[in-house]
């Protein structure tokens, strides 16, 4: 036997996900600024053996982690809206994905610059 969730509760589930997603937006802005300054001021540190393709791949890794994070949070908001479930933990995990993507991309970029 299935019970239907009242429409008002469905909106509150999606609203809770989107409210916690504000932390994700802050993480994207902060790590984006860190990435910008990390890459801009590393331009003079390139040795003759540095790998430009690996540096570009690091940037794509960071961008892909942001896009994956947004996609996961968007899917959670949609599922929470349709089912009324409490999925507020999903944007927190997505925020961790952004931070892990930044750290991995920064390590890859630093390795490419040596």
């Amino acid at each position: 036997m299935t019970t239907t969730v009242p429409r008002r509760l469905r909106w509150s589930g999606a609203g809770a996900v989107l409210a916690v997603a504000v932390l994700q937006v802050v993480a994207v802005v902060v790590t984006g600024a860190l990435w910008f300054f990390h890459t801009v001021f590393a331009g003079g540190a390139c040795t003759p053996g540095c790998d430009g393709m690996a540096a570009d791949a690091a940037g794509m890794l960071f961008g892909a982690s942001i896009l994956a994070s947004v996609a996961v949070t968007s899917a959670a908001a949609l599922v929470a809206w349709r089912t009324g479930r409490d999925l507020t933990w999903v944007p927190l995990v997505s925020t961790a994905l952004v931070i892990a993507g930044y750290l991995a991309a920064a390590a890859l970029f630093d390795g490419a610059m040596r």
Side-chain angles (χ1 to χ4, degrees):
M1 167 166 50
T2 4
T3 60
T4 59
V5 178
R7 192 154 190 66
R8 192 180 71 158
L9 289 178
R10 288 184 183 179
W11 276 108
S12 66
V17 169
L18 296 176
V20 177
V22 170
L23 294 174
Q24 180 181 357
V25 171
V26 170
V28 167
V29 168
V30 169
T31 57
L34 288 173
W35 179 255
F36 175 76
F37 289 116
H38 189 85
T39 56
V40 166
F41 293 120
C46 187
T47 63
C50 69
D51 187 6
M53 289 181 66
D56 290 341
M60 291 190 322
L61 172 67
F62 180 55
S65 71
I66 291 173
L67 289 177
S69 173
V70 169
V72 167
T73 300
S74 299
L78 183 63
V79 168
W81 174 66
R82 292 187 61 125
T83 64
R85 294 177 53 194
D86 182 20
L87 298 174
T88 54
W89 59 272
V90 176
L92 295 175
V93 172
S94 294
T95 303
L97 178 67
V98 169
I99 294 169
Y102 167 74
L103 293 174
L108 183 63
F109 184 80
D110 288 342
M113 288 292 122
R114 291 186 185 156

